[in-house]
Amino acid sequence: MAPKVLIVQGSTAHRSRLASVAAIASEAAEATGGDVRTWDLADSPLPVMSLSDPRQRRLPEVVAVREAAAEADGFVFITPEYHGNMSGALKNWFDFLYLELAGKFAGVLAVTGGGGGDMSILSVKNSFNWCHGFTLPFHAAARPEDFEDNELVNQRVIERIRRVSSDVVRYAPLIRNTFEEARTGGDDWRNGVAGMHAKG
Ligand SMILES: Cc1cc2nc3c(=O)[nH]c(=O)nc-3n(C[C@H](O)[C@H](O)[C@H](O)COP(=O)(O)O)c2cc1C
């Protein structure tokens, strides 16, 4: 079975430079053998997560997001850098999820307005790690000068995006299978973090 990769595009802007980055990531993940789906938060917005509204979890858009995340073996997250952080829309996406991300693998990409992208990339990695997800120790960021008419043209950045996307296809099934195997072993320290998500 081809590894399932969910590309999460974390901008609410319809004419975003993230679209070009997502297309390059998608092509590279497919070329490596991934079964790729893209989730664009501009096309599929979520309400702000509210713990005071128990009906929210049953909203079709929330159910769809949780199902898509549960199905995926791995993720490529693309965030715009907002105030030295990931976008609020992407953080809100994380707030609806936890178990769907545990034992999964992710690569992270950022698009900035001039910054290096490290802070927004780290914020995404932090959130994913705190959901017990594993992240690739390599990433890519694109600045405005790397684009022409919203198309990414900087070959060095394109190559980094391709490496990240290819690695997600490569490592996601290994991490998920290993985690699932340990998870079935029960809540014993010998099963590591996966044991904390023991079945049954
Ligand atoms: C609310 C907001 C905050 C931003 N903060 C930063 C920032 O801290 N660092 C930076 O380099 N760019 C910042 N930018 C610029 C965005 O990173 C940039 O416009 C975006 O990633 C590029 O995607 P776009 O094509 O959707 O605009 C900010 C933009 C907005 C709207």
Side-chain angles (χ1 to χ4, degrees):
M1 285 257 286
K4 288 192 167 65
V5 175
L6 187 65
I7 297 177
V8 184
Q9 197 170 316
S11 172
T12 52
H14 282 293
R15 290 170 180 273
S16 172
R17 279 170 283 176
L18 270 74
S20 170
V21 172
I24 292 161
S26 177
E27 273 172 28
E30 274 176 6
T32 314
D35 174 2
V36 181
R37 184 175 176 192
T38 299
W39 196 280
D40 186 342
L41 286 168
D43 295 335
S44 310
L46 287 166
V48 174
M49 196 279 284
S50 166
L51 294 174
S52 306
D53 183 359
R55 289 166 306 174
Q56 208 177 47
R57 291 238 142 200
R58 294 194 291 276
L59 291 174
E61 58 270 39
V62 173
V63 172
V65 155
R66 295 187 68 198
E67 283 177 358
E71 255 183 29
D73 298 309
F75 301 86
V76 176
F77 295 113
I78 312 173
T79 188
E81 181 157 281
Y82 287 169
H83 303 322
N85 217 300
M86 77 174 97
S87 64
L90 185 55
K91 180 59 173 65
N92 188 52
W93 180 92
F94 273 106
D95 289 347
F96 281 102
L97 303 164
Y98 169 48
L99 297 176
E100 296 86 352
L101 308 180
K104 306 281 184 74
F105 188 74
V108 183
L109 310 171
V111 179
T112 80
D118 287 353
M119 288 180 294
S120 50
I121 288 167
L122 263 183
S123 69
V124 176
K125 289 189 177 187
N126 266 341
S127 286
F128 193 67
N129 289 158
W130 280 87
C131 294
H132 295 166
F134 297 72
T135 47
L136 184 71
F138 184 77
H139 42 255
R143 291 184 163 111
E145 58 267 33
D146 299 321
F147 293 84
E148 274 172 21
D149 298 327
N150 280 3
E151 288 298 315
L152 185 63
V153 292
N154 183 323
Q155 287 304 319
R156 192 190 64 83
V157 180
I158 289 172
E159 190 185 300
R160 289 182 72 98
I161 292 168
R162 288 179 174 152
R163 287 185 194 279
V164 168
S165 310
S166 162
D167 268 351
V168 169
V169 176
R170 184 169 296 105
Y171 295 113
L174 302 178
I175 297 282
R176 190 172 191 186
N177 292 342
T178 306
F179 192 91
E180 285 300 321
E181 198 183 319
R183 198 158 86 96
T184 53
D187 182 16
D188 183 285
W189 64 262
R190 287 172 191 80
N191 295 319
V193 179
M196 294 165 69
H197 299 275
K199 285 179 174 162

